[in-house]
Amino acid sequence: MRNRIAAPLAFCAVMLAAPAPLAAQLPGALSVEARLGGAFATGDFAASGRAFEAGSGYAASVNGRLGLFPGLEFYVGYERAQMPCDACAATQLDDTLVDDGIGVGAILELPLDLPGLSPWVRAGLVRRQLRISGFGETMASKPGIGFDLGAGITLPLSGPIKLTPGVRYLNYPAEFDFQLLPDRSIDVSHFGVDVGLAYQF
Amino acid sequence: MSIKRKLAASLVAAAPVLAGCDTDTPTAPGLELSVHSLLGGLEPGEAYVLAGADAGFLPLVGGVNGAEYLIVPFYSAEADERIEIALRGDGVTASAPLLARADGAEDDRPQVFGPTLAVRTGPGLGRMVAASDRAHEELRIRMRRETMELMRRGGPRPLSLPRSITPRHANLALSDVSVGDLVTLNVQADLPCDNPVYRVGRVVAISERAIIVADTLNPEGGFTESHYQHFASEFDALVHPTVTGTFGEPSDIDGNGKVVMFFTSAVNDLTPPGSNGIVLGFFYARDLFASDGDDGCPGSNETEMFYMLVPDPERAVYEPIFSVEEVELLTMGVVAHEYQHLINASRRIYVNDAETLEEIWLDEALSHVAEELVFYEVTGLGPRQDLGVEQIAREDRLDATYRYILDNLVRYGIFLEEIDNASLFEYDLAGRGASWSFLRYLADRSGETDDEFFYDVANARNSGLANLNRVLGGSASEMARDWAVSVYADNHVAGIPEEYRQPSWNFRSILPRISLFSGQFPLSDRALGSDRAMNLGLKGGGTAMIRVSVDQASRAILEATEHRGGELPASLMLTVLRTR
């Protein structure tokens, strides 16, 4: 758990230490963003013959972003990802996994000279749960703290509206606290390709 | 600008607010089981413990190397109830035949308890005593029912002396006797109060705690005075302090401070020649009641006593168990056994103001524990030592093993053989083996000393499971469920939790060395395959051992229903233990 948190924190520290461009992301600038894209399960979460055999689905999120320094934003948001569970049918569970929760972190605009484009990277912490349904009920893991890394570009559209396509990787531990049975956990991880639409106030 | 401030403030505030969102609370066991199985399911030594409809659907996984599971149903109902269940396994493979067989090499080991047991068994001690127990069972049922009727009539309790162990009504013939005196005692075993059948007995030995009386009609060539004196001194030195130290002192209604042991051929007569069984002795609580008065029991001998088998050398020619040597070997164990019955009943009537006599299965279990306690006392061994064959077959302990514990071990082995048809709450041979082991298991789990635990059980006003629930402060039925798993898992499955262990005895070490079991651990189990359903009939207090395997990287579903497909009742508990 310590490494899981330390890695993105270190990443954030490096980002903060890097020279920030004097771009549009000025201190005090506030924007909201909605993102939608594909989510592709990886690792044990997706492995065949083990656990859920999660597949490819979608992820949607809404974020608020606040400029802290030139080129550096703080964000907080909620995301929900939904993926198929190939192994669930065999045990009479619904074949859909829901992974949702909040994330907080920083977005750093990279000082690259690309005309009309602003590349960025982001790193943050997530607090998420994995939910599985069946037998008329839903079961959720304990909230797990993990990390979220991403990168993309910002494309100005018109006025305060920007397009922010990107890729991201998310990982957190989902611990299931069973009432009747020994507890179990799994690392939930998925890779995503998404696009965001941001509005800056 | 004010909107931006508000939004910014909301943004900063959102994190902790959102972080407070928490989990749903799962409630459906089927959901838990399914999710658990997807996350790898059970590790070896772990178990699913379910009951009723919750046990209807069980996903199992094969894991990386394949897995083997033990399915243990336990039916928590009265012994005369019965349930038919059906098990279906989709994706399971039948396990190899009888894992319970004593792991290969043990088959070649010498039978430590061979010759003597063989003599005692004839065609098989278990079968023989089992049959006798059925006769004894009827006797015990009748005796208990009639004694409880006497309790209801209030006859035994003179108003001045309830709940005491002080003299109440002296049997003048026994209150002050000397060696050589003749006394008349009723040996009627069929009826407690009516139609007495009197026998004249000679007082052959008197010790501080015992009066030994030998029936004048006993066969020639039986016990000598020296035998009787030895029994009296052994009672004083060993049985009395051990048994009363745990269960409490018996009443003393005749005020002599002694127990009468009547060695009488009337006990032999309860086993007709050619029977496939034998009654070794009995205690009859009618002797604790007054013989006179409106509610009196004329047949009562009005003393603390029990009735003992005697040798019959002529009969021993074709039924060796009646030889002097065999009866002598059995005697002190039977004395310990009957003494517990006497203590239990007399304290219920005169000390504990009980509402009822103890249920027979539990009373018998306590008496078998009394034998075990004497075994520990003689050998210097003790409970919770996981005793194996090396400890009890040591040369200097072998005699005590034969006298005090071997029959308990044999009965337990017979329970394992007949496990599908046995009940913890019955008191045939298998049931006695089971209930002794169960009571030992409860004592070992209780966290109390043997003396504390068994005293509490013996000194109760209620009976049976209600009594055990009171002593345990929890559900004895649930502990019976766990005990049933321990029957298979103890000393056999790695990584099991404490509730699946039997800390006092290593039965897998001992039972294969008893000739009756031919080198095998005698547990009967069944293998469930995916080809067809397994139908299983369980008595109340009954259990069974079913093994299933799941191939590597495979998943399987086990379904358990009533045999017509309905949901299982809550009294049907099911444990699934991963054994490998």
PDB file of all heavy atoms in Angstrom, chain A residues 30 51 64 76 91-92 102 127 129 137 141 176 179-182 184, chain B residues 7 11 18-19 21 23 26-28 32 34 36 38 41 46 48 57 555:
ATOM      1  N   LEU A  30     -10.553  27.954 -13.238  1.00  0.00           N
ATOM      2  CA  LEU A  30     -11.403  26.842 -12.844  1.00  0.00           C
ATOM      3  C   LEU A  30     -12.064  26.265 -14.074  1.00  0.00           C
ATOM      4  O   LEU A  30     -12.545  27.000 -14.927  1.00  0.00           O
ATOM      5  CB  LEU A  30     -12.476  27.347 -11.866  1.00  0.00           C
ATOM      6  CG  LEU A  30     -13.413  26.317 -11.287  1.00  0.00           C
ATOM      7  CD1 LEU A  30     -12.654  25.351 -10.376  1.00  0.00           C
ATOM      8  CD2 LEU A  30     -14.513  27.009 -10.500  1.00  0.00           C
ATOM      9  N   ALA A  51      -9.850 -15.292 -11.187  1.00  0.00           N
ATOM     10  CA  ALA A  51     -10.750 -14.230 -10.773  1.00  0.00           C
ATOM     11  C   ALA A  51     -11.847 -13.950 -11.804  1.00  0.00           C
ATOM     12  O   ALA A  51     -12.455 -14.854 -12.337  1.00  0.00           O
ATOM     13  CB  ALA A  51      -9.954 -12.979 -10.416  1.00  0.00           C
ATOM     14  N   GLY A  64     -13.455  18.318 -11.731  1.00  0.00           N
ATOM     15  CA  GLY A  64     -13.282  19.735 -11.571  1.00  0.00           C
ATOM     16  C   GLY A  64     -11.793  20.011 -11.516  1.00  0.00           C
ATOM     17  O   GLY A  64     -11.038  19.235 -10.923  1.00  0.00           O
ATOM     18  N   VAL A  76     -10.143  17.031  -9.029  1.00  0.00           N
ATOM     19  CA  VAL A  76     -10.869  16.053  -8.230  1.00  0.00           C
ATOM     20  C   VAL A  76     -12.082  15.637  -9.053  1.00  0.00           C
ATOM     21  O   VAL A  76     -12.673  16.455  -9.762  1.00  0.00           O
ATOM     22  CB  VAL A  76     -11.287  16.623  -6.861  1.00  0.00           C
ATOM     23  CG1 VAL A  76     -12.148  17.868  -7.019  1.00  0.00           C
ATOM     24  CG2 VAL A  76     -12.028  15.586  -6.034  1.00  0.00           C
ATOM     25  N   THR A  91     -20.974 -18.657 -12.159  1.00  0.00           N
ATOM     26  CA  THR A  91     -21.321 -18.683 -10.742  1.00  0.00           C
ATOM     27  C   THR A  91     -22.596 -17.896 -10.467  1.00  0.00           C
ATOM     28  O   THR A  91     -22.827 -17.447  -9.358  1.00  0.00           O
ATOM     29  CB  THR A  91     -20.164 -18.105  -9.905  1.00  0.00           C
ATOM     30  OG1 THR A  91     -19.846 -16.818 -10.408  1.00  0.00           O
ATOM     31  CG2 THR A  91     -18.941 -18.984  -9.985  1.00  0.00           C
ATOM     32  N   GLN A  92     -23.410 -17.754 -11.506  1.00  0.00           N
ATOM     33  CA  GLN A  92     -24.732 -17.139 -11.378  1.00  0.00           C
ATOM     34  C   GLN A  92     -24.664 -15.668 -10.958  1.00  0.00           C
ATOM     35  O   GLN A  92     -25.557 -15.162 -10.288  1.00  0.00           O
ATOM     36  CB  GLN A  92     -25.619 -17.931 -10.416  1.00  0.00           C
ATOM     37  CG  GLN A  92     -25.875 -19.359 -10.901  1.00  0.00           C
ATOM     38  CD  GLN A  92     -26.915 -20.080 -10.082  1.00  0.00           C
ATOM     39  OE1 GLN A  92     -27.559 -19.515  -9.212  1.00  0.00           O
ATOM     40  NE2 GLN A  92     -27.102 -21.361 -10.371  1.00  0.00           N
ATOM     41  N   ILE A 102     -13.624   8.013  -6.517  1.00  0.00           N
ATOM     42  CA  ILE A 102     -13.123   9.360  -6.743  1.00  0.00           C
ATOM     43  C   ILE A 102     -11.619   9.343  -6.981  1.00  0.00           C
ATOM     44  O   ILE A 102     -10.936   8.367  -6.666  1.00  0.00           O
ATOM     45  CB  ILE A 102     -13.421  10.269  -5.534  1.00  0.00           C
ATOM     46  CG1 ILE A 102     -12.728   9.721  -4.288  1.00  0.00           C
ATOM     47  CG2 ILE A 102     -14.912  10.402  -5.310  1.00  0.00           C
ATOM     48  CD1 ILE A 102     -12.535  10.747  -3.211  1.00  0.00           C
ATOM     49  N   ARG A 127      -9.697   6.503  -4.902  1.00  0.00           N
ATOM     50  CA  ARG A 127     -10.331   5.718  -3.829  1.00  0.00           C
ATOM     51  C   ARG A 127     -11.568   5.089  -4.465  1.00  0.00           C
ATOM     52  O   ARG A 127     -12.558   5.751  -4.699  1.00  0.00           O
ATOM     53  CB  ARG A 127     -10.722   6.632  -2.667  1.00  0.00           C
ATOM     54  CG  ARG A 127     -11.351   5.900  -1.495  1.00  0.00           C
ATOM     55  CD  ARG A 127     -11.705   6.911  -0.410  1.00  0.00           C
ATOM     56  NE  ARG A 127     -12.145   6.277   0.819  1.00  0.00           N
ATOM     57  CZ  ARG A 127     -13.397   5.929   1.076  1.00  0.00           C
ATOM     58  NH1 ARG A 127     -14.333   6.138   0.166  1.00  0.00           N
ATOM     59  NH2 ARG A 127     -13.715   5.382   2.226  1.00  0.00           N
ATOM     60  N   GLN A 129     -14.066   1.441  -5.545  1.00  0.00           N
ATOM     61  CA  GLN A 129     -14.643   0.167  -5.148  1.00  0.00           C
ATOM     62  C   GLN A 129     -15.033  -0.620  -6.388  1.00  0.00           C
ATOM     63  O   GLN A 129     -15.408  -0.034  -7.406  1.00  0.00           O
ATOM     64  CB  GLN A 129     -15.916   0.385  -4.329  1.00  0.00           C
ATOM     65  CG  GLN A 129     -15.686   0.958  -2.960  1.00  0.00           C
ATOM     66  CD  GLN A 129     -17.005   1.244  -2.273  1.00  0.00           C
ATOM     67  OE1 GLN A 129     -17.601   2.283  -2.503  1.00  0.00           O
ATOM     68  NE2 GLN A 129     -17.443   0.304  -1.454  1.00  0.00           N
ATOM     69  N   GLU A 137     -28.746  -8.770  -5.407  1.00  0.00           N
ATOM     70  CA  GLU A 137     -28.058  -7.795  -4.566  1.00  0.00           C
ATOM     71  C   GLU A 137     -26.737  -7.400  -5.208  1.00  0.00           C
ATOM     72  O   GLU A 137     -26.283  -8.023  -6.171  1.00  0.00           O
ATOM     73  CB  GLU A 137     -27.786  -8.377  -3.173  1.00  0.00           C
ATOM     74  CG  GLU A 137     -29.048  -8.639  -2.373  1.00  0.00           C
ATOM     75  CD  GLU A 137     -28.724  -9.130  -0.981  1.00  0.00           C
ATOM     76  OE1 GLU A 137     -27.573  -8.943  -0.553  1.00  0.00           O
ATOM     77  OE2 GLU A 137     -29.610  -9.709  -0.351  1.00  0.00           O
ATOM     78  N   SER A 141     -16.483  -4.090  -2.881  1.00  0.00           N
ATOM     79  CA  SER A 141     -15.256  -4.259  -2.117  1.00  0.00           C
ATOM     80  C   SER A 141     -15.114  -3.098  -1.138  1.00  0.00           C
ATOM     81  O   SER A 141     -15.808  -2.080  -1.252  1.00  0.00           O
ATOM     82  CB  SER A 141     -14.050  -4.275  -3.058  1.00  0.00           C
ATOM     83  OG  SER A 141     -13.912  -3.007  -3.683  1.00  0.00           O
ATOM     84  N   PHE A 176     -12.296  -7.659  -0.448  1.00  0.00           N
ATOM     85  CA  PHE A 176     -13.675  -8.045  -0.135  1.00  0.00           C
ATOM     86  C   PHE A 176     -13.732  -8.590   1.289  1.00  0.00           C
ATOM     87  O   PHE A 176     -13.041  -9.549   1.625  1.00  0.00           O
ATOM     88  CB  PHE A 176     -14.186  -9.080  -1.134  1.00  0.00           C
ATOM     89  CG  PHE A 176     -14.478  -8.492  -2.476  1.00  0.00           C
ATOM     90  CD1 PHE A 176     -13.471  -8.363  -3.434  1.00  0.00           C
ATOM     91  CD2 PHE A 176     -15.746  -8.024  -2.782  1.00  0.00           C
ATOM     92  CE1 PHE A 176     -13.730  -7.807  -4.668  1.00  0.00           C
ATOM     93  CE2 PHE A 176     -16.014  -7.461  -4.011  1.00  0.00           C
ATOM     94  CZ  PHE A 176     -15.006  -7.347  -4.961  1.00  0.00           C
ATOM     95  N   GLN A 179     -18.765 -11.692   5.002  1.00  0.00           N
ATOM     96  CA  GLN A 179     -19.372 -11.920   6.315  1.00  0.00           C
ATOM     97  C   GLN A 179     -19.163 -13.350   6.777  1.00  0.00           C
ATOM     98  O   GLN A 179     -18.933 -13.606   7.944  1.00  0.00           O
ATOM     99  CB  GLN A 179     -20.879 -11.635   6.244  1.00  0.00           C
ATOM    100  CG  GLN A 179     -21.192 -10.164   6.044  1.00  0.00           C
ATOM    101  CD  GLN A 179     -22.682  -9.929   5.877  1.00  0.00           C
ATOM    102  OE1 GLN A 179     -23.393 -10.757   5.329  1.00  0.00           O
ATOM    103  NE2 GLN A 179     -23.137  -8.801   6.359  1.00  0.00           N
ATOM    104  N   LEU A 180     -19.277 -14.296   5.854  1.00  0.00           N
ATOM    105  CA  LEU A 180     -19.273 -15.700   6.222  1.00  0.00           C
ATOM    106  C   LEU A 180     -17.982 -16.420   5.862  1.00  0.00           C
ATOM    107  O   LEU A 180     -17.767 -17.539   6.296  1.00  0.00           O
ATOM    108  CB  LEU A 180     -20.431 -16.425   5.512  1.00  0.00           C
ATOM    109  CG  LEU A 180     -21.827 -15.855   5.735  1.00  0.00           C
ATOM    110  CD1 LEU A 180     -22.828 -16.534   4.813  1.00  0.00           C
ATOM    111  CD2 LEU A 180     -22.236 -16.067   7.193  1.00  0.00           C
ATOM    112  N   LEU A 181     -17.131 -15.783   5.089  1.00  0.00           N
ATOM    113  CA  LEU A 181     -16.033 -16.502   4.474  1.00  0.00           C
ATOM    114  C   LEU A 181     -14.722 -15.766   4.709  1.00  0.00           C
ATOM    115  O   LEU A 181     -14.720 -14.593   5.060  1.00  0.00           O
ATOM    116  CB  LEU A 181     -16.275 -16.611   2.965  1.00  0.00           C
ATOM    117  CG  LEU A 181     -17.677 -17.077   2.558  1.00  0.00           C
ATOM    118  CD1 LEU A 181     -17.900 -16.896   1.080  1.00  0.00           C
ATOM    119  CD2 LEU A 181     -17.848 -18.531   2.941  1.00  0.00           C
ATOM    120  N   PRO A 182     -13.618 -16.452   4.494  1.00  0.00           N
ATOM    121  CA  PRO A 182     -12.323 -15.766   4.621  1.00  0.00           C
ATOM    122  C   PRO A 182     -12.222 -14.631   3.603  1.00  0.00           C
ATOM    123  O   PRO A 182     -12.665 -14.770   2.467  1.00  0.00           O
ATOM    124  CB  PRO A 182     -11.309 -16.873   4.309  1.00  0.00           C
ATOM    125  CG  PRO A 182     -12.045 -18.159   4.508  1.00  0.00           C
ATOM    126  CD  PRO A 182     -13.478 -17.882   4.190  1.00  0.00           C
ATOM    127  N   ARG A 184     -10.866 -11.951   0.871  1.00  0.00           N
ATOM    128  CA  ARG A 184     -10.057 -12.111  -0.331  1.00  0.00           C
ATOM    129  C   ARG A 184      -9.858 -10.737  -0.965  1.00  0.00           C
ATOM    130  O   ARG A 184     -10.641  -9.812  -0.732  1.00  0.00           O
ATOM    131  CB  ARG A 184     -10.758 -13.017  -1.340  1.00  0.00           C
ATOM    132  CG  ARG A 184     -10.854 -14.474  -0.905  1.00  0.00           C
ATOM    133  CD  ARG A 184      -9.488 -15.150  -1.031  1.00  0.00           C
ATOM    134  NE  ARG A 184      -9.555 -16.555  -0.676  1.00  0.00           N
ATOM    135  CZ  ARG A 184      -9.317 -17.038   0.535  1.00  0.00           C
ATOM    136  NH1 ARG A 184      -9.009 -16.222   1.523  1.00  0.00           N
ATOM    137  NH2 ARG A 184      -9.386 -18.323   0.761  1.00  0.00           N
TER     138      ARG A 184
ATOM    139  N   LEU B   7     -17.479  27.469  -7.040  1.00  0.00           N
ATOM    140  CA  LEU B   7     -17.083  26.220  -7.689  1.00  0.00           C
ATOM    141  C   LEU B   7     -15.760  25.706  -7.152  1.00  0.00           C
ATOM    142  O   LEU B   7     -15.590  24.512  -6.907  1.00  0.00           O
ATOM    143  CB  LEU B   7     -16.992  26.427  -9.204  1.00  0.00           C
ATOM    144  CG  LEU B   7     -18.327  26.488  -9.946  1.00  0.00           C
ATOM    145  CD1 LEU B   7     -18.099  26.931 -11.390  1.00  0.00           C
ATOM    146  CD2 LEU B   7     -18.990  25.112  -9.916  1.00  0.00           C
ATOM    147  N   LEU B  11     -15.059  22.312  -5.287  1.00  0.00           N
ATOM    148  CA  LEU B  11     -14.071  21.379  -5.804  1.00  0.00           C
ATOM    149  C   LEU B  11     -13.166  20.869  -4.691  1.00  0.00           C
ATOM    150  O   LEU B  11     -12.912  19.665  -4.561  1.00  0.00           O
ATOM    151  CB  LEU B  11     -13.250  22.097  -6.871  1.00  0.00           C
ATOM    152  CG  LEU B  11     -12.327  21.282  -7.739  1.00  0.00           C
ATOM    153  CD1 LEU B  11     -13.087  20.170  -8.431  1.00  0.00           C
ATOM    154  CD2 LEU B  11     -11.656  22.191  -8.772  1.00  0.00           C
ATOM    155  N   LEU B  18     -16.573  13.019  -1.155  1.00  0.00           N
ATOM    156  CA  LEU B  18     -16.655  11.815  -1.972  1.00  0.00           C
ATOM    157  C   LEU B  18     -15.910  10.655  -1.316  1.00  0.00           C
ATOM    158  O   LEU B  18     -16.315   9.507  -1.415  1.00  0.00           O
ATOM    159  CB  LEU B  18     -16.070  12.088  -3.365  1.00  0.00           C
ATOM    160  CG  LEU B  18     -16.945  12.979  -4.248  1.00  0.00           C
ATOM    161  CD1 LEU B  18     -16.164  13.363  -5.496  1.00  0.00           C
ATOM    162  CD2 LEU B  18     -18.232  12.281  -4.613  1.00  0.00           C
ATOM    163  N   ALA B  19     -14.826  10.985  -0.627  1.00  0.00           N
ATOM    164  CA  ALA B  19     -14.044   9.930   0.021  1.00  0.00           C
ATOM    165  C   ALA B  19     -14.848   9.232   1.098  1.00  0.00           C
ATOM    166  O   ALA B  19     -14.551   8.134   1.497  1.00  0.00           O
ATOM    167  CB  ALA B  19     -12.762  10.506   0.618  1.00  0.00           C
ATOM    168  N   CYS B  21     -17.814   8.133   0.767  1.00  0.00           N
ATOM    169  CA  CYS B  21     -18.723   7.120   0.225  1.00  0.00           C
ATOM    170  C   CYS B  21     -18.206   5.744   0.603  1.00  0.00           C
ATOM    171  O   CYS B  21     -17.020   5.482   0.557  1.00  0.00           O
ATOM    172  CB  CYS B  21     -18.787   7.224  -1.295  1.00  0.00           C
ATOM    173  SG  CYS B  21     -19.437   8.814  -1.818  1.00  0.00           S
ATOM    174  N   THR B  23     -19.056   1.260   1.377  1.00  0.00           N
ATOM    175  CA  THR B  23     -19.456   0.032   0.694  1.00  0.00           C
ATOM    176  C   THR B  23     -20.914  -0.303   0.909  1.00  0.00           C
ATOM    177  O   THR B  23     -21.543   0.128   1.850  1.00  0.00           O
ATOM    178  CB  THR B  23     -18.651  -1.152   1.237  1.00  0.00           C
ATOM    179  OG1 THR B  23     -18.943  -1.295   2.621  1.00  0.00           O
ATOM    180  CG2 THR B  23     -17.197  -0.969   1.039  1.00  0.00           C
ATOM    181  N   PRO B  26     -23.089  -6.656   1.882  1.00  0.00           N
ATOM    182  CA  PRO B  26     -23.605  -7.854   1.232  1.00  0.00           C
ATOM    183  C   PRO B  26     -24.386  -8.709   2.211  1.00  0.00           C
ATOM    184  O   PRO B  26     -24.034  -8.805   3.365  1.00  0.00           O
ATOM    185  CB  PRO B  26     -22.344  -8.572   0.774  1.00  0.00           C
ATOM    186  CG  PRO B  26     -21.289  -8.101   1.707  1.00  0.00           C
ATOM    187  CD  PRO B  26     -21.648  -6.709   2.099  1.00  0.00           C
ATOM    188  N   THR B  27     -25.423  -9.290   1.741  1.00  0.00           N
ATOM    189  CA  THR B  27     -26.197 -10.146   2.627  1.00  0.00           C
ATOM    190  C   THR B  27     -26.470 -11.519   2.040  1.00  0.00           C
ATOM    191  O   THR B  27     -26.613 -12.471   2.789  1.00  0.00           O
ATOM    192  CB  THR B  27     -27.549  -9.503   2.974  1.00  0.00           C
ATOM    193  OG1 THR B  27     -28.195  -9.146   1.763  1.00  0.00           O
ATOM    194  CG2 THR B  27     -27.370  -8.269   3.821  1.00  0.00           C
ATOM    195  N   ALA B  28     -26.558 -11.609   0.732  1.00  0.00           N
ATOM    196  CA  ALA B  28     -26.924 -12.903   0.149  1.00  0.00           C
ATOM    197  C   ALA B  28     -25.720 -13.846   0.183  1.00  0.00           C
ATOM    198  O   ALA B  28     -24.699 -13.562  -0.434  1.00  0.00           O
ATOM    199  CB  ALA B  28     -27.399 -12.712  -1.283  1.00  0.00           C
ATOM    200  N   GLU B  32     -22.041 -13.875  -1.883  1.00  0.00           N
ATOM    201  CA  GLU B  32     -20.726 -13.958  -1.241  1.00  0.00           C
ATOM    202  C   GLU B  32     -19.940 -15.164  -1.745  1.00  0.00           C
ATOM    203  O   GLU B  32     -18.756 -15.079  -2.064  1.00  0.00           O
ATOM    204  CB  GLU B  32     -20.877 -14.058   0.280  1.00  0.00           C
ATOM    205  CG  GLU B  32     -21.133 -12.752   0.970  1.00  0.00           C
ATOM    206  CD  GLU B  32     -20.558 -12.738   2.378  1.00  0.00           C
ATOM    207  OE1 GLU B  32     -20.094 -13.778   2.839  1.00  0.00           O
ATOM    208  OE2 GLU B  32     -20.570 -11.666   2.998  1.00  0.00           O
ATOM    209  N   SER B  34     -20.259 -16.828  -4.493  1.00  0.00           N
ATOM    210  CA  SER B  34     -19.866 -16.720  -5.894  1.00  0.00           C
ATOM    211  C   SER B  34     -18.675 -15.784  -6.057  1.00  0.00           C
ATOM    212  O   SER B  34     -17.713 -16.095  -6.766  1.00  0.00           O
ATOM    213  CB  SER B  34     -21.044 -16.223  -6.728  1.00  0.00           C
ATOM    214  OG  SER B  34     -22.065 -17.191  -6.739  1.00  0.00           O
ATOM    215  N   HIS B  36     -16.565 -14.964  -3.768  1.00  0.00           N
ATOM    216  CA  HIS B  36     -15.414 -15.587  -3.106  1.00  0.00           C
ATOM    217  C   HIS B  36     -14.764 -16.624  -4.015  1.00  0.00           C
ATOM    218  O   HIS B  36     -13.539 -16.702  -4.120  1.00  0.00           O
ATOM    219  CB  HIS B  36     -15.871 -16.241  -1.791  1.00  0.00           C
ATOM    220  CG  HIS B  36     -14.755 -16.636  -0.897  1.00  0.00           C
ATOM    221  ND1 HIS B  36     -14.169 -17.889  -0.918  1.00  0.00           N
ATOM    222  CD2 HIS B  36     -14.088 -15.946   0.058  1.00  0.00           C
ATOM    223  CE1 HIS B  36     -13.214 -17.940  -0.021  1.00  0.00           C
ATOM    224  NE2 HIS B  36     -13.142 -16.779   0.596  1.00  0.00           N
ATOM    225  N   LEU B  38     -14.782 -16.683  -7.210  1.00  0.00           N
ATOM    226  CA  LEU B  38     -14.079 -16.026  -8.315  1.00  0.00           C
ATOM    227  C   LEU B  38     -12.735 -15.463  -7.854  1.00  0.00           C
ATOM    228  O   LEU B  38     -11.817 -15.309  -8.649  1.00  0.00           O
ATOM    229  CB  LEU B  38     -14.945 -14.902  -8.890  1.00  0.00           C
ATOM    230  CG  LEU B  38     -16.163 -15.359  -9.688  1.00  0.00           C
ATOM    231  CD1 LEU B  38     -16.988 -14.165 -10.119  1.00  0.00           C
ATOM    232  CD2 LEU B  38     -15.748 -16.191 -10.891  1.00  0.00           C
ATOM    233  N   GLY B  41     -11.582 -18.710  -4.179  1.00  0.00           N
ATOM    234  CA  GLY B  41     -12.255 -19.686  -3.334  1.00  0.00           C
ATOM    235  C   GLY B  41     -11.446 -20.032  -2.095  1.00  0.00           C
ATOM    236  O   GLY B  41     -10.664 -19.228  -1.592  1.00  0.00           O
ATOM    237  N   GLU B  46      -9.379 -24.194   4.714  1.00  0.00           N
ATOM    238  CA  GLU B  46     -10.478 -23.254   4.936  1.00  0.00           C
ATOM    239  C   GLU B  46     -11.810 -23.921   4.602  1.00  0.00           C
ATOM    240  O   GLU B  46     -11.853 -24.901   3.865  1.00  0.00           O
ATOM    241  CB  GLU B  46     -10.309 -22.009   4.063  1.00  0.00           C
ATOM    242  CG  GLU B  46      -9.146 -21.128   4.489  1.00  0.00           C
ATOM    243  CD  GLU B  46      -9.011 -19.869   3.630  1.00  0.00           C
ATOM    244  OE1 GLU B  46      -9.515 -19.871   2.466  1.00  0.00           O
ATOM    245  OE2 GLU B  46      -8.420 -18.900   4.104  1.00  0.00           O
ATOM    246  N   TYR B  48     -16.277 -23.365   3.992  1.00  0.00           N
ATOM    247  CA  TYR B  48     -17.544 -22.659   3.945  1.00  0.00           C
ATOM    248  C   TYR B  48     -18.459 -23.326   4.964  1.00  0.00           C
ATOM    249  O   TYR B  48     -18.548 -24.551   5.001  1.00  0.00           O
ATOM    250  CB  TYR B  48     -18.221 -22.787   2.570  1.00  0.00           C
ATOM    251  CG  TYR B  48     -17.503 -22.116   1.424  1.00  0.00           C
ATOM    252  CD1 TYR B  48     -17.534 -22.665   0.154  1.00  0.00           C
ATOM    253  CD2 TYR B  48     -16.833 -20.920   1.600  1.00  0.00           C
ATOM    254  CE1 TYR B  48     -16.904 -22.053  -0.918  1.00  0.00           C
ATOM    255  CE2 TYR B  48     -16.201 -20.297   0.534  1.00  0.00           C
ATOM    256  CZ  TYR B  48     -16.234 -20.870  -0.720  1.00  0.00           C
ATOM    257  OH  TYR B  48     -15.619 -20.252  -1.772  1.00  0.00           O
ATOM    258  N   PHE B  57     -26.323 -23.720  -2.982  1.00  0.00           N
ATOM    259  CA  PHE B  57     -25.534 -23.409  -4.168  1.00  0.00           C
ATOM    260  C   PHE B  57     -24.104 -23.108  -3.740  1.00  0.00           C
ATOM    261  O   PHE B  57     -23.851 -22.157  -3.015  1.00  0.00           O
ATOM    262  CB  PHE B  57     -26.148 -22.188  -4.861  1.00  0.00           C
ATOM    263  CG  PHE B  57     -25.339 -21.655  -6.002  1.00  0.00           C
ATOM    264  CD1 PHE B  57     -25.453 -22.211  -7.265  1.00  0.00           C
ATOM    265  CD2 PHE B  57     -24.474 -20.592  -5.814  1.00  0.00           C
ATOM    266  CE1 PHE B  57     -24.695 -21.712  -8.312  1.00  0.00           C
ATOM    267  CE2 PHE B  57     -23.716 -20.083  -6.860  1.00  0.00           C
ATOM    268  CZ  PHE B  57     -23.836 -20.651  -8.115  1.00  0.00           C
ATOM    269  N   ARG B 555     -13.887 -24.810 -12.776  1.00  0.00           N
ATOM    270  CA  ARG B 555     -14.868 -24.385 -11.785  1.00  0.00           C
ATOM    271  C   ARG B 555     -15.981 -25.412 -11.732  1.00  0.00           C
ATOM    272  O   ARG B 555     -16.284 -26.066 -12.731  1.00  0.00           O
ATOM    273  CB  ARG B 555     -15.460 -23.021 -12.139  1.00  0.00           C
ATOM    274  CG  ARG B 555     -14.446 -21.898 -12.154  1.00  0.00           C
ATOM    275  CD  ARG B 555     -15.111 -20.568 -12.460  1.00  0.00           C
ATOM    276  NE  ARG B 555     -14.132 -19.546 -12.760  1.00  0.00           N
ATOM    277  CZ  ARG B 555     -13.443 -18.882 -11.836  1.00  0.00           C
ATOM    278  NH1 ARG B 555     -13.633 -19.145 -10.562  1.00  0.00           N
ATOM    279  NH2 ARG B 555     -12.562 -17.966 -12.178  1.00  0.00           N
TER     280      ARG B 555
END
